[in-house]
Amino acid sequence: MKNNILCFLGLSIIGIVSGDSCSLEISPSRVVVKFGDPVSVSCVASRPVRVLGWESVIAATHTQRDLSVQWQVDSLTDWIEEPICYGVFFTAPRQCEEKLNLVLYKKPDSVSISLVNHSSPVVVGREYQLQCEVHNVAPVQYLVLRWYRGQTEVYNHSFSELSPATPVQVSSILLIVPNRADDGAQYSCEAELKLGAEGPQPSPTVQSEVLNLAVQYPPDFRSPEEEIVDISEDSGMVLDCTAEGNPPPVYIWTSSNLQEKADQPVLTAASLGPGVYTCTASNILGKKSKQFVIKHKSKGESNKDAMEM
Ligand SMILES: *[C@@H]1O[C@H](CO)[C@@H](O)[C@H](O)[C@H]1NC(C)=O
Ligand SMILES: *[C@@H]1O[C@H](CO)[C@@H](O)[C@H](O)[C@H]1NC(C)=O
């Protein structure tokens, strides 16, 4: 021990020392404080001091007797506070200091989600921007913003490159090109302050409201192939032209056999004569057609059916 100290003195250090060679220890070495909360940190010297104190805008203090001094604030509201513990010693190094690792944080007032320059419904296949805005959060470098589609995280955004200690507003943009499956999708975002082990557990988190996306898309048949229907087989047979689309499609049937205008999605085959029927489903985004062919069964088979009955 003695040898170590002698060696140390031989270096004749000039200026203020910090780090391992500084005989000061701050405890706890890192504090995470919620805006407006109390805080108390001690600084302890491990060799005799002339003066031991805290340099601080709001709570400067010092002692000439003790080997320990407390930095204490009842309600911390000063964003630029950077307390430093300093010691003035009888022996070299004669001065040294340690900076307190202090994080003053504030949960966002709100987190909002919106479609940039647009409102739902949107159109399938085009590009849109979803924006998430985080209002009044500090310090932003600890913020992680997560995007969700339903319960699934689709993207996250960190702000570690930013440095302000004071509350700021930040935003994140998510580019989407909606498809049909996005109709009814629920997007949301979440702001989490990841303040580390010294911070509150779980991390302070604020969620946005949910943005319900409505997507418009042209009509589409589940099975677009032509259907051949044999009417004498089962009098309950129908021609089903139902298509999916948003807005809901309107229907029109055309056939040389149809006397009246038909605009319902389903026709009963029994009421129709043999022939080709074309159904067209349309909405503001497009139209699709599907063909149905009605055939009669041969006479022989019909007779057989009749005899069994
Ligand atoms: C949104 O609209 C504003 C003003 O109408 C315009 O300045 C801005 O460029 C638009 N943003 C996008 C992403 O289209
Ligand atoms: C952000 O997303 C990536 C994958 O895209 C993931 O590996 C990472 O853990 C996420 N970061 C956070 C902080 O959740």
Side-chain angles (χ1 to χ4, degrees), residues 144 146 153 156:
V144 176
R146 291 196 179 82
E153 182 182 326
N156 65 53

Side-chain angles (χ1 to χ4, degrees), residues 6-306:
L6 287 173
C7 260
F8 195 52
L9 291 173
L11 289 172
S12 72
I13 290 161
I14 297 161
I16 294 166
V17 178
S18 67
D20 289 345
S21 54
C22 188
S23 319
L24 299 176
E25 191 177 339
I26 291 179
S27 171
S29 61
R30 181 174 189 262
V31 284
V32 175
V33 187
K34 186 172 156 191
F35 185 80
D37 272 6
V39 59
S40 171
V41 180
S42 69
C43 181
V44 178
S46 54
R47 58 193 172 109
V49 281
R50 278 185 206 273
V51 187
L52 179 65
W54 282 98
E55 198 183 298
S56 158
V57 179
I58 48 166
T61 177
H62 70 272
T63 173
Q64 292 181 313
R65 298 188 310 266
D66 302 328
L67 285 179
S68 163
V69 64
Q70 203 84 358
W71 181 70
Q72 202 161 346
V73 180
D74 292 336
S75 169
L76 188 60
T77 54
D78 192 322
W79 293 107
I80 55 161
E81 186 59 69
E82 283 186 320
I84 293 168
C85 175
Y86 62 89
V88 181
F89 300 90
F90 295 105
T91 52
R94 291 192 177 270
Q95 278 197 29
C96 72
E97 62 180 45
E98 283 286 340
K99 228 180 182 168
L100 170 62
N101 186 344
L102 170 68
V103 176
L104 181 59
Y105 76 90
K106 189 194 154 303
K107 258 169 91 157
D109 289 339
S110 64
V111 176
S112 60
I113 185 170
S114 61
L115 261 165
V116 177
N117 285 358
H118 219 278
S119 61
S120 203
V122 300
V123 173
V124 72
R126 296 193 194 156
E127 189 178 275
Y128 297 90
Q129 297 184 351
L130 288 177
Q131 179 171 257
C132 181
E133 281 181 304
V134 182
H135 305 273
N136 216 11
V137 64
V140 71
Q141 59 266 41
Y142 295 100
L143 180 68
V144 176
L145 196 155
R146 291 196 179 82
W147 282 96
Y148 291 91
R149 183 184 184 281
Q151 305 296 315
T152 309
E153 182 182 326
V154 288
Y155 183 61
N156 65 53
H157 195 153
S158 293
F159 299 86
S160 47
E161 74 282 4
L162 300 177
S163 58
T166 52
V168 292
Q169 171 168 331
V170 290
S171 66
S172 171
I173 297 275
L174 183 71
L175 279 179
I176 57 164
V177 180
N179 56 28
R180 272 181 49 175
D182 279 313
D183 188 29
Q186 299 194 310
Y187 282 91
S188 62
C189 60
E190 177 187 278
E192 178 182 1
L193 275 173
K194 295 194 91 168
L195 297 161
E198 298 83 6
Q201 309 295 336
S203 309
T205 301
V206 178
Q207 240 119 17
S208 75
E209 70 276 33
V210 169
L211 185 138
N212 289 296
L213 199 65
V215 180
Q216 294 190 327
Y217 55 95
D220 206 6
F221 298 111
R222 259 176 242 143
S223 52
E225 311 80 36
E226 180 182 272
E227 282 183 33
I228 296 174
V229 181
D230 225 330
I231 47 168
S232 58
E233 191 176 76
D234 174 2
S235 59
M237 284 293 272
V238 294
L239 311 190
D240 188 352
C241 178
T242 307
E244 283 166 18
N246 186 21
V250 294
Y251 300 89
I252 182 85
W253 291 86
T254 53
S255 170
S256 53
N257 290 8
L258 277 173
Q259 264 85 57
E260 286 170 37
K261 180 169 169 270
D263 59 2
Q264 64 270 43
V266 179
L267 296 187
T268 307
S271 64
L272 304 166
V276 177
Y277 295 81
T278 304
C279 167
T280 302
S282 58
N283 68 13
I284 49 168
L285 293 177
K287 59 165 103 175
K288 286 250 173 73
S289 295
K290 172 168 175 168
Q291 281 202 332
F292 297 82
V293 179
I294 297 188
K295 283 184 175 165
H296 272 304
K297 264 191 167 176
S298 70
K299 202 144 190 136
E301 281 177 273
S302 295
N303 284 345
K304 186 172 141 247
D305 285 350

